[in-house]
Amino acid sequence: MSLREARFFALLRTGCAISFINKIFMKVEEMSIKRFLKRRNILIVFCIISGILLAVSFPKYGFLVWIALMPLLFSLYYCTKKEAFFLGFITGFLFFGGQMYWEWYVTPIAWIGLTILCSIYFSILSFFLHLLLRETKSWIRILLIPTFWVIFEFLWSLTPLAFGWGILGNSQHFFLPLLQIVRITGVYGVSFLIVFFNISALETLQLFKISNFKNLGSLIKHLIRFFRKKRWLLYNSKYLFSSIILIILILIYGFFTFLNNNPKYLFFKNLNKIEISLIQPNIPQSIKISGQHIDSILEILEKLSIEAAKNKSDLIVFPESATSLVFTEDETDFYFNWTKKLLGEIKTNLLKGVFTKDEEGNLHNSVILLDRKGKLIDIYEKIHPIPFGEFIPARRFIGNIGPLRLLREDVIAGKKYTVFPISQGKIGSIICFESALPQIPRKLRNNGAQILFVVTNDGWFRNSVELEQHFYMGRVRAVENGVYFVQCANTGISGVFAPNGMELDATRKNEACTLTTSVYFMQEQTFYSKYGDIFSYICLLIFFIWIISKLFFYT
């Protein structure tokens, strides 16, 4: 067979294959499955895909988030305004409900309440994204969609009902060169990049230009026509290339910043150092809340503390609510006297999580610092209690619903950003899920804290993925503020992150142990810790200018 004949038969086979595929699609449209392939059902399926991809992106598979928003944004473009709210709720329910499945271990009503609350937030976000997608040109969409996403994440994090598990930027904790940009923008800068890449990819594929999108067949035909074009990769790809170039520039900055903040070189910067010991007692939550095993809990804490004191630590750290007892600085109080006796044995400073009550009798989830003589140095009261976990929103109306009645007393939010002074420098401590939100650690750092701690009790969540999710959020806070970030947990994971995000040490999950290590007091602040959410405010300004211009041209 000649070369010409071979080419002829190859083209013939290709033509037959294309004809066969077209016949298959024609048959599919005639089958009963056609109902499923209709526009609305396809949009729902796409939102389900987005919700699942977003949920599994935390904490180990963060690379998925770079494509996770594409099905959602596609669906929001081709839906109606009413459908946008519904599709956002579906995506949000799968995103938050799947990511936070471990809340079910606390109580099912906590999981349901938090998931519905976060899904409503996501529904509102999706509704406005739909409006922006439909009413703006391509290049404006490319800028406004990630800008508005950042605004919504930022404003949501400032509310009392905020829950930091939905911030996209936290998913990139493993990508250290990229993560260094949070030293300038905060975590919202990474969220901007993620959304920017997703919307750029959609624009490049021209998926917002399907003239008559009715079913799955019309989408597939569009993609076939698009990829059959010559030089399809270069066609309308300026947006995708711009996002890739931006990411490359940030990676170059991040690479050199990461090396410059390598903890190996901090020895030469004349920084004060402190030896710390973290106590991980591994007390099951069922034992802790029963209130019937106080003696055995105190015995475990005492044994581990004495063991840690042999390392001549400058500071010993207990996890959040080390016991269920309320701590009061009273010579007649049993817990106060036990603590004072322990300090007499270990002869070092103690940072511990406790419950306290103020003069008005309000309950607070707190961290206290005691010197080696048992004197109370200062107290930090948790500023952002967890909705449905530490307080019931609108308790007057829903406080008597089923298991919500078990939470008899609300934890009241504190107001003071306390920084604890010790001989070598100043430290700040947050509590539990406050490490998921950037604002509180930043304010402590700006108030003078040179090392940041978080004390937490993740025993509620057993051996779930929550332990990793929570631990690795500390890495983002370390890089944002350019400090050592230390987590002390009841059941794990306890550990230390360097100012560039390197994991220096960590314990195993569900193991009673101590961890002794050295950390440095960092003097120099990052741009973010010093000036705050400038990037988010710039996004607000850009969006405000766009709204004003729309109103001006409309009138």
Side-chain angles (χ1 to χ4, degrees), residues 374-426:
K375 180 183 176 183
L376 179 64
I377 304 300
D378 213 335
I379 181 170
Y380 167 79
E381 296 168 344
K382 189 175 184 181
I383 291 172
H384 193 89
I386 304 167
F388 296 101
E390 292 176 306
F391 75 98
I392 306 299
R395 174 180 284 275
R396 179 180 175 185
F397 301 101
I398 63 174
N400 292 321
I401 297 177
L404 290 180
R405 287 177 291 183
L406 298 175
L407 190 60
R408 299 174 184 174
E409 188 175 6
D410 288 340
V411 171
I412 305 301
K415 297 179 180 179
K416 183 182 176 184
Y417 293 88
T418 304
V419 173
F420 300 107
I422 56 178
S423 57
Q424 298 94 331
K426 294 181 179 180

Side-chain angles (χ1 to χ4, degrees), residues 70-337:
M70 291 173 64
L72 171 65
L73 294 172
F74 176 85
S75 299
L76 292 177
Y77 182 82
Y78 287 102
C79 69
T80 64
K81 292 179 181 179
K82 291 182 180 179
E83 289 172 341
F85 193 89
F86 172 68
L87 293 173
F89 189 88
I90 291 175
T91 308
F93 196 89
L94 289 169
F95 175 23
F96 292 99
Q99 188 189 178
M100 305 184 302
Y101 72 91
W102 31 263
E103 277 288 347
W104 189 276
Y105 297 145
V106 182
T107 171
I109 198 70
W111 177 81
I112 293 170
L114 264 178
T115 302
I116 291 176
L117 176 67
C118 294
S119 300
I120 292 172
Y121 145 75
F122 209 80
S123 298
I124 299 169
L125 170 62
S126 298
F127 175 79
F128 285 106
L129 290 177
H130 163 77
L131 297 180
L132 291 173
L133 285 166
R134 294 297 300 180
E135 298 184 15
T136 54
K137 298 178 181 179
S138 294
W139 70 272
I140 300 178
R141 279 199 297 258
I142 292 291
L143 178 63
L144 286 185
I145 295 298
T147 297
F148 187 75
W149 193 290
V150 166
I151 292 170
F152 223 73
E153 277 190 349
F154 171 61
L155 295 180
W156 167 252
S157 69
L158 299 179
T159 67
L161 299 179
F163 203 67
W165 254 250
I167 298 177
L168 294 182
N170 283 331
S171 67
Q172 302 304 298
H173 66 85
F174 64 95
F175 200 177
L176 292 181
L178 180 71
L179 193 63
Q180 303 305 311
I181 194 63
V182 304
R183 297 169 63 90
I184 299 172
T185 65
V187 69
Y188 306 112
V190 182
S191 295
F192 182 94
L193 285 176
I194 292 169
V195 182
F196 186 60
F197 183 85
N198 276 268
I199 189 70
S200 298
L202 284 174
E203 291 286 359
T204 298
L205 295 173
Q206 296 186 315
L207 291 179
F208 297 140
K209 294 183 179 181
I210 303 176
S211 57
N212 191 20
F213 176 61
K214 293 182 179 179
N215 49 37
L216 182 61
S218 57
L219 171 60
I220 294 175
K221 288 177 183 177
H222 167 82
L223 290 174
I224 291 173
R225 285 195 299 268
F226 178 81
F227 287 113
R228 286 177 67 183
K229 291 178 181 178
K230 294 181 179 179
R231 299 180 181 178
W232 60 266
L233 184 61
L234 298 176
Y235 191 84
N236 203 39
S237 58
K238 56 186 177 183
Y239 303 121
L240 184 59
F241 284 155
S242 64
S243 67
I244 292 173
I245 290 170
L246 179 60
I247 292 171
I248 290 172
L249 291 174
I250 289 172
L251 288 176
I252 293 171
Y253 160 81
F255 178 76
F256 288 105
T257 304
F258 175 80
L259 293 179
N260 189 49
N261 288 277
N262 193 313
K264 292 181 181 179
Y265 306 139
L266 296 179
F267 175 79
F268 303 102
K269 292 188 177 182
N270 249 357
L271 300 172
N272 289 339
K273 187 173 73 170
I274 183 174
E275 196 84 7
I276 60 171
S277 289
L278 310 179
I279 307 299
Q280 183 175 298
N282 192 37
I283 300 167
Q285 194 59 28
S286 57
I287 292 177
K288 184 175 285 191
I289 63 176
S290 68
Q292 299 176 0
H293 303 275
I294 296 298
D295 291 338
S296 59
I297 292 173
L298 294 178
E299 184 180 342
I300 293 171
L301 291 170
E302 183 176 359
K303 179 183 176 182
L304 292 173
S305 299
I306 293 173
E307 179 185 329
K310 294 177 183 178
N311 298 313
K312 298 182 180 179
S313 301
D314 300 302
L315 178 69
I316 288 180
V317 186
F318 281 6
E320 174 191 16
S321 57
T323 73
S324 58
L325 298 173
V326 175
F327 183 89
T328 57
E329 194 177 13
D330 186 346
E331 296 291 344
T332 62
D333 181 71
F334 165 75
Y335 192 27
F336 174 77
N337 287 322

Side-chain angles (χ1 to χ4, degrees), residues 128 132 136 140 144 148 151 539-555:
F128 285 106
L132 291 173
T136 54
I140 300 178
L144 286 185
F148 187 75
I151 292 170
C539 289
L540 271 169
L541 179 62
I542 291 171
F543 195 73
F544 180 74
I545 291 172
W546 176 76
I547 291 175
I548 295 298
S549 65
K550 287 284 286 185
L551 292 175
F552 176 78
F553 285 116
Y554 178 77
T555 53

Side-chain angles (χ1 to χ4, degrees), residues 310-541:
K310 294 177 183 178
N311 298 313
K312 298 182 180 179
S313 301
D314 300 302
L315 178 69
I316 288 180
V317 186
F318 281 6
E320 174 191 16
S321 57
T323 73
S324 58
L325 298 173
V326 175
F327 183 89
T328 57
E329 194 177 13
D330 186 346
E331 296 291 344
T332 62
D333 181 71
F334 165 75
Y335 192 27
F336 174 77
N337 287 322
W338 176 87
T339 304
K340 199 169 182 179
K341 179 185 174 185
L342 175 65
L343 287 168
E345 294 182 43
I346 62 177
K347 294 181 173 58
T348 188
N349 300 308
L350 176 63
L351 185 75
K352 63 184 294 188
V354 294
F355 289 114
T356 59
K357 289 197 173 184
D358 58 25
E359 296 177 353
E360 299 175 356
N362 295 319
L363 182 66
H364 295 279
N365 190 356
S366 307
V367 178
I368 59 174
L369 177 66
L370 300 159
D371 68 12
R372 59 190 62 210
K373 295 180 180 179
K375 180 183 176 183
L376 179 64
I377 304 300
D378 213 335
I379 181 170
Y380 167 79
E381 296 168 344
K382 189 175 184 181
I383 291 172
H384 193 89
I386 304 167
F388 296 101
E390 292 176 306
F391 75 98
I392 306 299
R395 174 180 284 275
R396 179 180 175 185
F397 301 101
I398 63 174
N400 292 321
I401 297 177
L404 290 180
R405 287 177 291 183
L406 298 175
L407 190 60
R408 299 174 184 174
E409 188 175 6
D410 288 340
V411 171
I412 305 301
K415 297 179 180 179
K416 183 182 176 184
Y417 293 88
T418 304
V419 173
F420 300 107
I422 56 178
S423 57
Q424 298 94 331
K426 294 181 179 180
I427 63 174
S429 180
I430 52 178
I431 302 172
C432 195
F433 290 168
E434 287 183 322
S435 63
L437 298 169
Q439 285 83 11
I440 298 174
R442 188 203 76 79
K443 287 183 180 178
L444 290 175
R445 173 65 168 139
N446 203 34
N447 281 357
Q450 298 161 311
I451 302 171
L452 288 175
F453 291 81
V454 58
V455 296
T456 184
N457 175 25
D458 290 342
W460 292 98
F461 314 113
R462 304 179 189 176
N463 196 31
S464 69
V465 72
E466 185 276 343
L467 276 67
E468 286 93 353
Q469 289 175 348
H470 192 191
F471 179 63
Y472 287 117
M473 286 183 186
R475 171 179 276 157
V476 185
R477 307 289 87 84
V479 180
E480 280 177 336
N481 296 286
V483 293
Y484 281 83
F485 192 93
V486 184
Q487 175 163 306
C488 180
N490 172 25
T491 57
I493 304 169
S494 302
V496 182
F497 291 106
N500 66 352
M502 287 180 62
E503 182 183 326
L504 300 181
D505 218 336
T507 63
R508 295 178 181 178
K509 296 185 289 185
N510 301 311
E511 179 180 81
C513 61
T514 64
L515 174 63
T516 300
T517 186
S518 298
V519 292
Y520 290 91
F521 290 86
M522 301 301 295
Q523 303 291 339
E524 187 179 348
Q525 288 186 254
T526 63
F527 180 90
Y528 177 74
S529 66
K530 192 171 184 179
Y531 299 107
D533 293 291
I534 297 293
F535 176 76
S536 300
Y537 287 117
I538 290 174
C539 289
L540 271 169
L541 179 62

